[in-house]
Amino acid sequence: EADGEAEARLLLQEARESIEAARSYRRELEQRLRGLHQARNQIRESATLTRDVLEQHFNDLKGTLKKLLDERLMSLLQEVDAIEQDSIKPLDECQKLIEHGVSTADDLLREGESAVHGDVGQQNEKLCSFTKKALHIQLDSLPEVPSLVDVPCLSAQLDDCLLTILKNQIFRHGTVASRPPVQLEEFVEKPGGILVRWCKVDDDFIPQDYRLQYRKSTASHFEDVYVGSETEFIVLHIDPNVDYQFRVCARGDGRQEWSPWSVPQIGRTTLVPHEWTAGLEGYSLSSRRNIALRNDSQSCGVLYSKAPTYFCGQTLTFRQVLSGIETVGQPDRRDSLGVCVEQQNGYDSLQRDKAVCISTNGAVFVNGKEMTNQLPAVTSGSTVTFDMEVVQLGPSSNEGGNFKLRVTISSNNREVVFDWVLDQCCVSLYFGCSFSYPGWKVLVF
C-alpha cells in the first residue's frame, strides 16, 4: 500500500512537471507566433511605405519633367515667334512700299490717260504737268524684293538621343533594398540620456558617415542628433520613462546619397538626469542644470549634485567645454572633480575624507590623500570619467564594517584603478566640483 501511494505521488509529480513543461512550451510557441506576426507586419508595413515613397517620387518626377518640358517648349516657341516677327517686319515694310507705288502708278496712269485724251485747249498744260509728275516719281526706281534663299526658313531640330539618354537613366533610377546596410544594435541607459550603438550588417557596404535620428513617441517627425564616423553616440536631454524612437542610416564611401533607414527601435531611460545644485554663489548653471560655469564671484566652495544620482556600475562623465573666448580658467591645486558619499559644506575642495577626485593638474586624491599615480592635466575639451563597482568586505556590508569600491578614473586615454575603502555601504553617490578661478565650465552626464 505504501509503495502504491509513493508511485501515485511520483506519477502526480511527473504529470505536474509535464503540465508545466506544456505550459512553458505553449508560451514559447505563442512568443514565436508574436515574433512571426511582428515580422509579417514589418514586411507589409515597410512594403506599403516603400510603394507610397516610390509612387510619390515618380509622380513628382513626372510633374517636374512635364514642367521642364513645357518650359522648354514655351522657350522654343517664343524663339520661333521672335525669328518670325524679325524676319516678317522688313517684308511688311517692303510690301507697304510696293503697295504705295502701285497706288501712285494707278493715279499717274489715270492722270496720263486724261491728259492724252482730254480737250485740245487744255491738253498741253495737262501733258506738261503729267510729264513733270512722272519724272518726279522716278518710274525706273523699283524696291528690291529678297529672293527665297535670302529669307529665313524655320525648322525644328529635335535629337532623338535625348529619349535614349532619358530611357537609360530612368531604367537605372532607383533601387529597392530588402534590408538597410546598418542596424541599431544596443541601447544603454544613462542619467537623462541613452547611449545608442549601431553596427554594419552588409559586409559589402563600406560606410563613410552615419546619421542618427530620434523622436519622441508622440512626435511626428524625426530629427538629426548625430552625423559622423563613430558607431555610438550618447543622446542627452532625454526625459526619463518616455519612449523614444531611433533610426540610423549610412553614406557609402565616396557617395553623396544616404542608405535606407534602419528599422526604427524604441529606447528609454529610467534614470533621472544629473543636475548641479542651484543657488550656490560662485557658479552659474545652464537651463537644464547639467552645465556649471565658475563665474567671477569671490565666493568659493564645492558645488554638489542636486541628489546622489550616481550609482555604482554606471559611468559618470565630466567634460570641459569652452566658455566664451576663454579656453579654461586658471588652474589651482585645490581644484577638483569627483564623487563623494555626502555633501559637506565648509570645504573649498573635494580633496577631503569620504571623497575621490582629480585635480585640474591631474593629481588623484582618495579620502584627502594624494596618490602617486597621476593623470594628464585637465584642459579645454578634456573628458574625465569615473567608473565604480562594489567589492564587499566582511560578512554583511549592511551591518557596518569595511566596504570597498573599485574605482577607475580615466582622462585623456589614461586611467588609474584603485580601491576606495569606506566604513558603510554606499552604492549611490553625490558628484561635485570646485574651481578657484573663473572660466571653468563643466558638463556632467
Side-chain angles (χ1 to χ4, degrees):
E1 184 178 352
D3 291 342
E5 291 179 357
E7 183 178 358
R9 285 195 298 271
L10 180 60
L11 291 173
L12 181 61
Q13 179 64 27
E14 290 177 349
R16 288 172 176 169
E17 291 176 355
S18 297
I19 292 172
E20 185 59 34
R23 287 174 177 166
S24 177
Y25 179 66
R26 178 182 176 82
R27 285 194 297 269
E28 289 293 333
L29 289 176
E30 290 175 343
Q31 184 175 353
R32 280 163 172 74
L33 281 175
R34 287 193 294 271
L36 287 173
H37 181 68
Q38 291 174 349
R40 184 177 290 105
N41 283 344
Q42 177 173 304
I43 294 172
R44 288 176 174 169
E45 290 174 0
S46 62
T48 299
L49 178 61
T50 301
R51 290 189 193 97
D52 292 341
V53 169
L54 288 172
E55 290 176 358
Q56 183 64 45
H57 177 73
F58 277 86
N59 284 334
D60 291 344
L61 277 181
K62 285 190 287 187
T64 302
L65 284 174
K66 184 179 183 305
K67 181 181 178 182
L68 292 174
L69 290 173
D70 289 343
E71 289 177 354
R72 181 55 180 165
L73 173 60
M74 183 60 64
S75 174
L76 291 173
L77 292 176
Q78 290 173 351
E79 188 175 346
V80 171
D81 292 343
I83 295 174
E84 181 184 24
Q85 292 173 6
D86 291 343
S87 303
I88 291 293
K89 184 178 179 180
L91 298 182
D92 288 342
E93 293 175 352
C94 185
Q95 180 177 342
K96 290 179 181 179
L97 183 62
I98 292 174
E99 290 174 347
H100 178 70
V102 170
S103 177
T104 302
D106 288 342
D107 293 341
L108 187 62
L109 282 172
R110 285 193 296 270
E111 186 176 346
E113 290 175 351
S114 175
V116 171
H117 300 290
D119 296 337
V120 177
Q122 298 177 348
Q123 188 175 25
N124 290 338
E125 183 180 350
K126 289 181 178 181
L127 289 174
C128 182
S129 174
F130 169 72
T131 303
K132 289 181 180 180
K133 187 178 291 187
L135 291 173
H136 178 73
I137 293 175
Q138 297 180 349
L139 296 177
D140 60 343
S141 176
L142 296 173
E144 184 177 356
V145 176
S147 63
L148 292 180
V149 296
D150 294 329
V151 297
C153 180
L154 279 72
S155 63
Q157 286 76 50
L158 301 173
D159 193 349
D160 290 339
C161 71
L162 175 62
L163 294 177
T164 303
I165 295 172
L166 286 176
K167 181 178 178 181
N168 292 334
Q169 291 294 328
I170 289 172
F171 282 166
R172 290 198 301 266
H173 181 67
T175 58
V176 176
S178 60
R179 59 170 51 92
V182 292
Q183 292 285 8
L184 295 169
E185 184 178 31
E186 183 182 18
F187 297 104
V188 180
E189 292 186 56
K190 296 290 182 179
I194 299 175
L195 172 62
V196 184
R197 292 193 176 103
W198 54 89
C199 62
K200 182 169 72 82
V201 295
D202 184 351
D203 295 335
D204 297 329
F205 184 79
I206 303 176
Q208 174 181 308
D209 291 306
Y210 298 99
R211 181 182 179 188
L212 178 67
Q213 289 189 336
Y214 83 127
R215 69 178 179 186
K216 269 188 178 181
S217 56
T218 56
S220 57
H221 298 290
F222 283 91
E223 59 180 276
D224 287 340
V225 68
Y226 172 77
V227 176
S229 59
E230 300 295 329
T231 56
E232 65 177 36
F233 183 76
I234 296 180
V235 183
L236 298 176
H237 306 158
I238 295 292
D239 296 329
N241 302 308
V242 174
D243 287 341
Y244 287 81
Q245 275 194 329
F246 295 86
R247 65 182 185 181
V248 66
C249 65
R251 181 162 49 196
D253 189 21
R255 303 184 69 89
Q256 294 297 321
E257 70 276 8
W258 293 98
S259 73
W261 290 105
S262 66
V263 178
Q265 295 190 36
I266 293 178
R268 64 158 44 199
T269 181
T270 59
L271 306 175
V272 297
H274 291 320
E275 294 183 9
W276 298 103
T277 299
L280 180 65
E281 188 178 356
Y283 291 90
S284 304
L285 306 183
S286 64
S287 59
R288 289 182 175 267
R289 295 188 290 276
N290 59 341
I291 300 177
L293 169 66
R294 181 65 167 94
N295 56 38
D296 55 4
S297 171
Q298 296 299 317
S299 176
C300 61
V302 178
L303 176 65
Y304 292 102
S305 58
K306 182 179 178 181
T309 52
Y310 173 58
F311 291 86
C312 294
Q314 299 176 357
T315 297
L316 178 69
T317 303
F318 298 98
R319 180 174 296 162
Q320 284 294 328
V321 294
L322 292 178
S323 173
I325 62 173
E326 298 174 307
T327 53
V328 292
Q330 179 182 345
D332 187 274
R333 64 180 184 83
R334 296 167 297 173
D335 294 344
S336 54
L337 289 166
V339 297
C340 56
V341 175
E342 57 191 9
Q343 298 180 356
Q344 292 185 10
N345 297 322
Y347 289 89
D348 60 359
S349 174
L350 281 175
Q351 300 168 17
R352 59 167 177 80
D353 189 34
K354 296 184 179 181
V356 293
C357 65
I358 176 176
S359 178
T360 50
N361 62 8
V364 177
F365 292 84
V366 182
N367 290 332
K369 297 180 180 179
E370 184 176 356
M371 296 183 62
T372 56
N373 293 336
Q374 186 163 339
L375 292 170
V378 178
T379 59
S380 174
S382 291
T383 298
V384 178
T385 62
F386 286 75
D387 291 275
M388 298 188 186
E389 59 178 329
V390 176
V391 180
Q392 183 174 312
L393 294 180
S396 176
S397 61
N398 293 326
E399 298 176 357
N402 289 335
F403 183 77
K404 184 166 62 175
L405 296 176
R406 185 149 297 154
V407 182
T408 301
I409 305 178
S410 302
S411 177
N412 295 335
N413 297 321
R414 289 180 57 187
E415 65 179 30
V416 294
V417 182
F418 56 90
D419 289 340
W420 181 21
V421 179
L422 300 170
D423 59 3
Q424 61 184 5
C425 174
C426 189
V427 293
S428 64
L429 300 164
Y430 290 88
F431 57 85
C433 69
S434 63
F435 299 103
S436 300
Y437 297 100
W440 292 93
K441 189 175 184 181
V442 60
L443 164 69
V444 60
F445 58 92

